Amino acid sequence: MDILSHLTPMFFALIAAGTSIGIIFGAIPGMTATMAVAVCLPLTYAFGLENGIALLLGLYVGGISGGMVPAVLINIPGTPSSITTTFDGYPMAKRGEGERALKIGIVASVFGGLFSAAVLFFFAPVLADFAIKFSYVEKFLIILLALTVIASLCSNMLMGVFSGVLGVWLSLIGTYSITEGGNGEPRLMFDFMQYYLIDGFSLLPVLIGIFGLTTVLLDAEKGFKDETGQGPISLKGGAKFRFSVFKGQLLNLVRSSSIGTFVGILPGVGGSAASVLAYSQEKNFSRDSSQMGKGAPQGIVSSESSNNALTGGALVPLLSLGIPGDSTTAILIGAFTLQGIQVGPLFIGNNLDTWYLMIIALLAANVLMFGIMYFAIRHIARVIEVPKYILYPLIIMMCVVGAYAINYGIMFDVWTLLIFGVFGWVAHKIGLETVPLIIGFILGKSAEVYFVKSLESYGNYSIFFTKSPIAMFLWVLIAVSLAFAIYLRVRNRRQASVES
Amino acid sequence: MKAIWNKTCLAVVASAAIGISASAQAADDCPLPGNLRVVIGSTSTGGDTYQNSSIVVDRLADKLDINAKVDAVGVMPGFQALERSRHGNTVMIFHDGAYLGNLYGVNGYPDIFSKFIVGPTIAINPGNAYLVPKDSPYQSMSDIIEAAGDGKQIKVAIQPGSVSEIGFSALKNAVRMKYPGKEGNIVAVNTGSQADKNQLLFDGAVDVINGSVQANEQYTQLPADDQKAMRFVWITAREKTIAETDEAGMGDTTREQLLQYVTPNVSVPMAADQDFTFDKEFFFLYNKDMDPAAIECIDDALAEIYDEGEIQQQQKRSFFVPDFKPSQEAASYLEEKNDQYKTIISDLNG
Amino acid sequence: MESQWLSLLDVTIDFDQSHLFFPRIVTWILVALLAIILITRYRLLAPGLKRAGRVLVGREGEFDHRRFFGTLALTTAYFYLMGVLSDVFPNTGYSFLIMSVLFVFLLSLLYVGRPTRRQFVILVLNALIAPALAWYVLAQLFRITLP
């Protein structure tokens, strides 16, 4: 077979269509890249393997990228992996730099995406062999490392850590799932709750409840005073986007993209951890991180480059081990099996043409994403000019769709949205921090499985320190990460007291 | 203004009602809804349950001229949706895990034979397998049984409480029969996904893993010096099931080669003169109050589909073995199967 | 000697009870942290609660009761009725469509307060078009399961 014969206009048209639809899915709060891929999966039947893959990869890249739009413009992450984009994106939008923030995000995204595609192409088999050195113990430590970033992301250490632990606790409600190797027994709830909570709370409804509905409630409480006309945020004023903003960001770009790619490669660690890790590493190790969280371009750069780098990374175990790296690639497996293609360690060698086509599709999707978003952004950014009394009811409506559809039609997920919307409002009032809470929630379940399974296998707590050189290295990273977080906190406090 | 609003609202409701009655009439003599929801007992859209269901449901929808959609809601939400749907708007497709969960006493699994109506079987996934590292000292299941009888501990990675555990129980039972008291040497390492089971094998933490022909075949083709290389020791399907797969088999493993791993070539005894076998079968489940006419309707439609013969080709291409049995036959067959495994599991516990 | 120290760290987890192992640890950490928070901030607690109570009953602070509780009530009703209605129109998404039209309209109206004629027309059109569009694209084109 000749690869060139597959590179038809149709192939590229489908990538463009996929990318556009993906961006729209990603940009609507409540809809995610995973959902976009899932709903278009049956279409791949009609298109055949090559064109189907083109569509799905476009959706994947577009969906992850689109998540930055609501994160920047209305402070609601469109997908779990764009939580950290809100930290600096929204403050910039409030300054009237929404368009600039989005353009920075787009450039960072395309860098991350292309970086990880290159890594995938050149190193997939090698990296897969490296990834299988991570057993339960090492994976637990990676999650622990991701949890320690809470210390550098929260504004009050005690409340932040408490919120993070509370997030973990909330994620454990439900049964110890047998599909994860648990015993299927319920815990942390009363018997009468079992009917609804047997599978616990789902991540997406929790996320959009805490970010979406809570935002609506907080604004409702203030009564939309200045809201009957135009939105309070204008697109005018503030600095304009220039590529020079990336000067001095190369290290950040490469580091964040590498973290994103690597987290993607490790199956089961949870893709959303990538941007969180990358953001906190930038905060810890950059020369000047004092502006991060107040609208610094470097924050958007690290968040968006890492979450797009996830795409290539998550394809590594899929294509070289037959194991999905995240929830979206888990659905991609379906596209292959529906076409009767086996994925496993021999996939690349047996399907060289498909492999090259996937790389081309991935590259094209990133480039097209850049093209579409960069030139459409001026119009997309006008969303913040829509009055909130129009926007908010629609956001709640779309959150309902997202919550209901994420598990293919479960009404309790819609109630979860409301429960956590109200909870998020209360949390806001009593000083709990929602970002650590969500990070805890995202990582809690995997933390449990890896922790308990490690101990079941080895029967001694010391295994976490002695298992392998990788484990020891991870402890060093954890220690350094914590030390930096504390050091920065002390330094900032000193600076603050000097200034006042 | 209000009046306009009221009218529009009415119009929407009215058109909705017209829409539903129009689609409900689509299939004339079938008391099935125009929009059928098929929930499955798996949350994965990349897995065998989804794949199988979508093959069958697509053809069923065509045949009955209705809309049908497969929703990967998972086991418990699936059972719950089925329980709520008295009018047959929702049906479920699942595999043997549906009753094995109950036999293993997993929390929340009802007795499907009394709580629901068991519908037609549609296909078998013949791929349930057990694998060892390529350089493992165990060449066959007999080696493993002997080693366990000899006092050696053998760790097997499985997902508890379902299809993945039944072969493990059979192995344990075989050891118990041959070397009573030694069955404790077969140890379960409970884990989750196929990735986790593979990982345990790569780590050297287990001796045997449960896997499948589809997911693990490529690993068996790796050179022996690769850390990831594996070897089949047992495929639990019946010989006649494997014999019905395509001659090409799966990947680089031909049907001829696959047959070497099933009984009688590989023997895990269940009784003095009988080997244990397990075919993972997919079947429909209905709400207890589902209209018998609707059940019959689905039975008939499926019978026609299988008579046409195209679906078999499609199933075989995806390494499924076509296996259509109408509702009544399927129900008594599965209940028999259930009783057989019940004995093994209770023998081990008691 | 070394092995004696190590054996202190020994742990065996009974599979039947393994669902409680990690939650117990997390619960204890949570309780400990809560205790620290209460000890270090108990002075803030009583006045904080008092103030919260006053705000909620409307004695002080700026708190828009109508819009806040209206949002909660409408959202709850929206979710509840959507569930009820979806049993009437199963597997079609009509329940979502009908309830969303009502909900979007009423919530917008709640937020605007006294709309001008022009705003009212916009609200009505928005409430009709947006849910219909969402329903058509998602439920019909993409065949996403909606209530």
Side-chain angles (χ1 to χ4, degrees), chain A residues 129 132 135-136 178-182 184 186 194-195 199 321 323 331 334 337 342 344-347 407-409 453, chain B residues 37 45-46 51 71-73 76-77 80 84 107 159-160 190-192 195 199 203 217-219 221 227-228 250-251:
Chain A
D129 277 349
I132 64 165
S135 67
Y136 287 140
I178 57 169
T179 50
E180 307 281 345
Q194 249 203 65
Y195 184 80
D199 289 332
L321 295 172
I323 288 162
I331 298 172
T337 49
Q342 248 182 309
L346 303 178
F347 172 84
N407 293 318
Y408 305 97
K453 293 294 166 193
Chain B
R37 182 174 185 219
T45 50
Q51 200 184 353
D71 276 336
V73 295
M76 290 309 150
Q80 287 174 3
R84 273 199 309 274
N107 173 52
Q159 186 188 92
N190 294 305
T191 179
Q199 183 66 48
D203 292 346
E217 189 274 335
Q218 291 197 346
Y219 287 95
Q221 301 295 336
Q227 187 193 354
K228 305 187 291 295
M250 170 53 86

Side-chain angles (χ1 to χ4, degrees), chain A residues 205 209 213 413-423, chain C residues 72 75-76 79:
Chain A
L213 201 56
D413 286 340
V414 177
W415 288 107
T416 303
L417 178 71
L418 183 61
I419 295 169
F420 278 85
V422 175
F423 174 80
Chain C
L72 275 184
T75 312
T76 310
F79 291 179

Side-chain angles (χ1 to χ4, degrees), chain A residues 85-417:
Chain A
T85 310
T86 61
F87 296 174
D88 292 292
Y90 189 62
M92 284 180 78
K94 277 207 286 201
R95 290 203 300 253
E97 297 175 1
E99 195 180 322
R100 177 169 177 247
L102 286 171
K103 284 188 173 168
I104 293 170
I106 296 163
V107 177
S109 290
V110 78
F111 182 91
L114 294 176
F115 179 91
S116 72
V119 171
L120 171 69
F121 183 64
F122 291 110
F123 305 111
V126 185
L127 284 171
D129 277 349
F130 181 59
I132 64 165
K133 301 222 182 315
F134 284 69
S135 67
Y136 287 140
V137 175
E138 288 87 356
K139 280 182 189 159
F140 173 74
L141 294 176
I142 292 258
I143 287 171
L144 196 61
L145 175 64
L147 283 172
T148 59
V149 309
I150 287 172
S152 54
L153 292 183
C154 54
S155 44
N156 176 298
M157 186 78 104
L158 185 58
M159 289 307 268
V161 172
F162 178 77
S163 307
V165 178
L166 184 61
V168 174
W169 192 85
L170 288 168
S171 79
L172 300 177
I173 293 176
T175 52
Y176 185 26
S177 167
I178 57 169
T179 50
E180 307 281 345
N183 57 9
E185 293 295 320
R187 64 273 170 94
L188 304 182
M189 60 176 165
F190 300 107
D191 282 349
F192 71 91
M193 294 149 88
Q194 249 203 65
Y195 184 80
Y196 297 106
L197 278 174
I198 197 154
D199 289 332
F201 294 109
S202 306
L203 169 61
L204 189 76
V206 170
L207 179 86
I208 54 188
I210 283 186
F211 284 98
L213 201 56
T214 299
T215 308
V216 174
L217 286 175
L218 287 171
D219 274 351
E221 170 200 329
K222 289 185 204 122
F224 296 93
K225 286 268 148 41
D226 42 25
E227 276 298 313
T228 31
Q230 291 289 319
I233 299 170
S234 86
L235 283 170
K236 304 185 179 71
K240 287 266 166 296
F241 173 76
R242 286 204 177 76
F243 277 96
S244 58
V245 75
F246 286 94
K247 219 156 125 193
Q249 294 292 325
L250 188 67
L251 183 67
N252 182 7
L253 278 168
V254 172
R255 180 180 53 225
S256 302
S257 303
S258 309
I259 291 174
T261 312
F262 186 68
V263 171
I265 290 171
L266 288 179
V269 172
S272 325
S275 52
V276 175
L277 269 174
Y279 188 90
S280 66
Q281 295 315 306
E282 169 64 13
K283 195 166 179 179
N284 286 345
F285 295 113
S286 78
R287 231 173 299 149
D288 176 20
S289 62
S290 57
Q291 291 307 306
M292 282 178 81
K294 298 172 194 157
Q298 70 200 99
I300 300 179
V301 168
S302 67
S303 175
E304 282 304 317
S305 58
S306 63
N307 71 25
N308 268 64
L310 202 68
T311 52
L315 287 168
V316 169
L318 176 75
L319 300 178
S320 46
L321 295 172
I323 288 162
D326 68 354
S327 55
T328 316
T329 40
I331 298 172
L332 282 180
I333 277 205
F336 288 106
T337 49
L338 285 174
Q339 303 277 351
I341 305 264
Q342 248 182 309
V343 281
L346 303 178
F347 172 84
I348 295 175
N350 288 354
N351 304 278
L352 265 183
D353 282 351
T354 311
W355 160 246
Y356 287 127
L357 281 169
M358 288 186 78
I359 299 291
I360 293 170
L362 202 57
L363 293 175
N366 274 292
V367 172
L368 284 167
M369 179 276 293
F370 179 79
I372 294 167
M373 294 231 342
Y374 195 84
F375 295 104
I377 218 69
R378 183 178 295 271
H379 309 288
I380 298 175
R382 304 195 62 160
V383 164
I384 47 173
E385 290 178 345
V386 175
K388 285 185 178 168
Y389 62 82
I390 297 280
L391 196 60
Y392 280 0
L394 297 181
I395 287 178
I396 297 181
M397 179 182 82
M398 291 318 293
C399 286
V400 168
V401 175
Y404 190 75
I406 188 69
N407 293 318
Y408 305 97
I410 292 176
M411 201 59 205
F412 181 70
D413 286 340
V414 177
W415 288 107
T416 303
L417 178 71

Side-chain angles (χ1 to χ4, degrees), chain B residues 216-232:
Chain B
N216 296 89
E217 189 274 335
Q218 291 197 346
Y219 287 95
T220 66
Q221 301 295 336
L222 295 172
D225 60 349
D226 193 315
Q227 187 193 354
K228 305 187 291 295
M230 307 176 186
R231 174 154 56 78
F232 287 116

Side-chain angles (χ1 to χ4, degrees), chain C residues 32-118:
Chain C
L33 285 169
L34 186 65
I36 297 174
I37 290 175
L38 289 180
I39 290 167
T40 52
R41 309 186 167 195
Y42 71 100
R43 279 191 208 90
L44 301 171
L45 199 67
L49 280 176
K50 202 181 261 175
R51 194 174 164 274
R54 284 167 153 265
V55 169
L56 277 180
V57 294
R59 291 242 186 87
E60 75 176 62
E62 287 194 29
F63 189 93
D64 192 322
H65 289 80
R66 197 168 61 92
R67 291 198 171 88
F68 179 77
F69 289 108
T71 307
L72 275 184
L74 274 176
T75 312
T76 310
Y78 176 43
F79 291 179
Y80 176 73
L81 292 173
M82 195 154 52
V84 172
L85 203 59
S86 85
D87 288 337
V88 181
F89 303 116
N91 311 339
T92 52
Y94 291 143
S95 168
F96 167 79
L97 177 60
I98 296 165
M99 291 317 301
S100 295
V101 169
L102 288 173
F103 172 76
V104 170
F105 175 73
L106 291 175
L107 195 64
S108 305
L109 202 61
L110 175 75
Y111 287 170
V112 177
R114 291 174 205 284
T116 60
R117 210 180 163 76
R118 185 170 161 273

Side-chain angles (χ1 to χ4, degrees), chain A residues 132 135-136 457-458, chain B residues 130-136 138 154-158 189 191 193-211 216 219-220 222 226-233:
Chain A
I132 64 165
S135 67
Y136 287 140
S457 310
Y458 296 97
Chain B
Y130 287 81
L131 298 102
V132 294
K134 207 155 213 174
D135 54 6
S136 161
Y138 307 118
I154 290 162
K155 291 183 174 173
V156 187
I158 54 164
V189 175
T191 179
S193 63
Q194 194 58 50
D196 289 339
K197 294 178 206 154
N198 294 353
Q199 183 66 48
L200 284 169
L201 200 71
F202 302 151
D203 292 346
V206 296
D207 305 287
V208 185
I209 59 167
N210 170 253
N216 296 89
Y219 287 95
T220 66
L222 295 172
D226 193 315
Q227 187 193 354
K228 305 187 291 295
M230 307 176 186
R231 174 154 56 78
F232 287 116
V233 279

Side-chain angles (χ1 to χ4, degrees), chain B residues 4-306:
Chain B
I4 296 178
W5 164 243
N6 280 341
K7 271 184 192 163
T8 353
C9 182
L10 213 92
V12 172
V13 177
S15 60
I18 293 166
I20 197 167
S21 56
S23 54
Q25 278 166 2
D28 349 316
D29 34 271
C30 267
L32 276 171
N35 290 281
L36 182 68
R37 182 174 185 219
V38 182
V39 292
I40 61 172
S42 154
T43 52
S44 147
T45 50
D48 57 348
T49 313
Y50 182 84
Q51 200 184 353
N52 217 317
S53 307
S54 73
I55 292 177
V56 172
V57 169
D58 282 353
R59 285 175 191 266
L60 193 63
D62 271 355
K63 183 67 64 194
L64 295 169
D65 197 20
I66 56 172
N67 291 314
K69 180 161 181 283
V70 180
D71 276 336
V73 295
V75 185
M76 290 309 150
F79 284 151
Q80 287 174 3
L82 195 58
E83 213 181 318
R84 273 199 309 274
S85 166
R86 291 230 199 82
H87 306 293
N89 296 305
T90 303
V91 301
M92 185 168 179
I93 295 183
F94 199 20
H95 53 69
D96 301 79
Y99 62 84
L100 285 174
N102 180 261
L103 290 184
Y104 281 113
V106 179
N107 173 52
Y109 275 78
D111 173 11
I112 58 162
F113 298 101
S114 65
K115 193 158 187 188
F116 303 114
I117 295 175
V118 175
T121 58
I122 48 181
I124 296 172
N125 175 356
N128 187 39
Y130 287 81
L131 298 102
V132 294
K134 207 155 213 174
D135 54 6
S136 161
Y138 307 118
Q139 297 302 320
S140 68
M141 290 309 280
S142 329
D143 282 359
I144 293 173
I145 295 170
E146 291 305 321
D150 220 27
K152 238 179 124 14
Q153 199 184 56
I154 290 162
K155 291 183 174 173
V156 187
I158 54 164
Q159 186 188 92
S162 187
V163 167
S164 175
E165 185 165 354
I166 188 67
F168 165 82
S169 296
L171 171 63
K172 207 167 171 172
N173 185 51
V175 173
R176 184 188 64 89
M177 288 192 321
K178 197 162 181 194
Y179 302 102
K182 298 284 189 188
E183 67 269 19
N185 288 330
I186 305 285
V187 181
V189 175
N190 294 305
T191 179
S193 63
Q194 194 58 50
D196 289 339
K197 294 178 206 154
N198 294 353
Q199 183 66 48
L200 284 169
L201 200 71
F202 302 151
D203 292 346
V206 296
D207 305 287
V208 185
I209 59 167
N210 170 253
S212 70
V213 174
Q214 295 90 326
N216 296 89
E217 189 274 335
Q218 291 197 346
Y219 287 95
T220 66
Q221 301 295 336
L222 295 172
D225 60 349
D226 193 315
Q227 187 193 354
K228 305 187 291 295
M230 307 176 186
R231 174 154 56 78
F232 287 116
V233 279
W234 185 26
I235 294 171
T236 62
R238 288 170 292 187
E239 189 184 14
K240 71 166 192 189
T241 307
I242 295 290
E244 271 181 58
T245 58
D246 272 340
E247 204 181 336
M250 170 53 86
D252 294 329
T253 309
T254 62
R255 181 173 67 194
E256 202 57 37
Q257 287 168 312
L258 289 175
L259 280 169
Q260 290 170 8
Y261 304 109
V262 297
T263 176
N265 293 324
V266 169
S267 168
V268 177
M270 179 167 72
D273 53 352
Q274 196 190 357
D275 278 348
F276 169 91
T277 55
F278 173 75
D279 277 333
K280 183 180 180 185
E281 268 162 301
F282 297 89
F283 52 89
F284 278 82
L285 284 170
Y286 303 127
N287 182 292
K288 199 85 195 161
D289 296 330
M290 176 122 156
D291 188 346
I295 296 177
E296 205 185 309
C297 192
I298 293 179
D299 270 356
D300 292 346
L302 284 175
E304 275 183 49
I305 291 168
Y306 277 84

